[in-house]
Each structure stands twice: as C-alpha cells, then as structure tokens.
Amino acid sequence: MTLQFLPQLKQPLAEEQRFVQIGLSWQQFQTLQAAFEDIPGVRLYYFDGVLELMTIGKTHEIVKSSIGSLLELYFLEKGIDFTPTGSMTMKGDNPGRWLEADESYSIGEEKDYPDIAIEVVVTSGGANKLLGYQHFGIREVWLWEEKQFALYRLKDGNYNQIDCSEFLPELDLELFNRCVQMPNKLEAMRTFQSAIR
C-alpha cells in the first residue's frame, strides 16, 4: 500500500486538505485507520474501496463549531429535545463502511444513528459521502459548501435536495447561514437568538 501524501501529514496544516485513494481493501483501510488513531486533526472516510483522508484546518473547525453552537441555541430557544452525537464514528456491520460527520444530532430520544448529519466542506472534491450516509439510513444530511447549505432528505432509499429541514421546518436557513459566517461569534449568537425569539 503506497500513499504518497503520508509524509506531508507530519507537519501541521493551516487549512483543510483532502486526499482520495481508490482501490483500498477493508484490511488496508483498518491498518491505515489504526496508524492515524492518535493523530488529531485527521478524519477518515471509507466506502466500498474508496478512502478519503482529510486534514482538518482552522476554517473548517470555526465553521463546524459555529454551526453546532447556533443549532444548539436554536434547540434551546425552541424547546426541542435533542442528543448531540458530534463526530461519532459510524461503522457498518459488514466491512467496507466507515464514516464520521462533522456534527450530528438525534432529534428527541437518542438513537443508534443520528437523524441529522452535518458536513462542512471547505475545499471541494473528495468522495460522495451521501452514499455512505444512505447506507446508515441518516434521514437528513446538511452540506455546508461554498458558504451555503444544501440539505438532503432520505426518502425511498435515495437522497433528494430539500429547501428546509423536515425536522426543523421553522429554521430560517438564510439567517442561520449568515450568522454562521459572522466573524464575531458572540455577536452572531446574539443576532440569531434575537431573531428566533
């Protein structure tokens, strides 16, 4: 197994980078996953022989944390019971599936897999993660890419893009996205809180 990019990952990276390798066996992936287990700032995705290795940069973490903070503020203000499951690892019963969302939530009671998975994409490219989420039956996937949200709902085994969350139909996505991108996070939370009250 030759992965040319591995030496580069010993240095801290300022921004997100993605590397895709096609044709890895599940056993090769498990070996690689064990090697990266204790290295912070690296996220792995594996689905049917396709590996995506992503280094987590500062912008990615700021956006991910902002989304989580604002969404949890929304749950609090609206009295919505939820379980935050963060970037929990979703591993298929059969070999060949390994997935971690950036943020994820179960609405209402805790479940084996979250209802909403959120992916922050700072650099384009990479694997089609909707296939992975489809395997785990994640009902909604929110992609934040090119500074905007695209929401997908699983219906009849396939994802269809939707205009608003079916779990959170009153969430104003335009306002939410605007607040996610505000540089002053205290101001963002105050603006969002004031608007949703």
Side-chain angles (χ1 to χ4, degrees):
M1 173 174 54
T2 303
L3 298 173
Q4 304 293 337
F5 55 81
L6 292 182
Q8 302 170 21
L9 297 177
K10 293 180 181 175
Q11 307 171 36
L13 297 168
E15 288 303 331
E16 170 183 300
Q17 293 187 22
R18 293 174 186 269
F19 305 93
V20 176
Q21 181 84 22
I22 298 171
L24 249 63
S25 70
W26 178 244
Q27 185 177 16
Q28 288 173 316
F29 169 74
Q30 288 180 305
T31 302
L32 187 63
Q33 188 276 327
F36 281 97
E37 199 166 45
D38 297 323
I39 300 176
V42 175
R43 176 131 335 127
L44 301 175
Y45 164 84
Y46 182 84
F47 187 82
D48 289 347
V50 177
L51 164 73
E52 178 182 276
L53 187 148
M54 184 177 85
T55 61
I56 307 297
K58 183 178 178 181
T59 301
H60 179 280
E61 290 300 276
I62 290 172
V63 171
K64 175 191 87 81
S65 296
S66 295
I67 290 171
S69 297
L70 291 168
L71 202 49
E72 291 180 20
L73 177 61
Y74 184 83
F75 293 145
L76 175 67
E77 289 292 331
K78 298 297 183 180
I80 298 170
D81 188 21
F82 71 100
T83 302
T85 48
S87 59
M88 68 173 270
T89 300
M90 292 175 252
K91 182 179 176 183
D93 294 334
N94 298 317
R97 277 98 170 139
W98 180 282
L99 184 62
E100 297 173 334
D102 290 312
E103 291 287 352
S104 61
Y105 297 92
S106 290
I107 305 302
E109 63 187 30
E110 185 178 349
K111 304 171 181 79
D112 290 339
Y113 294 115
D115 293 308
I116 298 172
I118 301 168
E119 285 282 337
V120 174
V121 182
V122 176
T123 56
S124 61
N128 179 358
K129 293 190 181 166
L130 287 177
L131 290 174
Y133 286 117
Q134 183 178 359
H135 172 78
F136 292 104
I138 307 303
R139 291 167 60 191
E140 281 190 13
V141 178
W142 299 11
L143 300 180
W144 188 88
E145 188 172 14
E146 298 180 2
K147 299 185 178 182
Q148 59 186 342
F149 282 99
L151 275 58
Y152 295 88
R153 176 75 172 181
L154 187 62
K155 186 174 182 181
D156 300 327
N158 294 303
Y159 282 107
N160 298 301
Q161 192 165 356
I162 53 177
D163 294 327
C164 67
S165 169
E166 292 188 20
F167 288 107
L168 309 172
E170 296 178 9
L171 177 63
D172 181 340
L173 282 174
E174 187 177 317
L175 166 71
F176 184 59
N177 190 36
R178 191 168 68 248
C179 291
V180 165
Q181 296 180 66
M182 290 174 68
N184 184 310
K185 298 308 170 187
L186 179 59
E187 182 184 347
M189 293 190 78
R190 285 176 173 163
T191 299
F192 188 64
Q193 185 177 42
S194 176
I196 63 178
R197 278 192 165 164

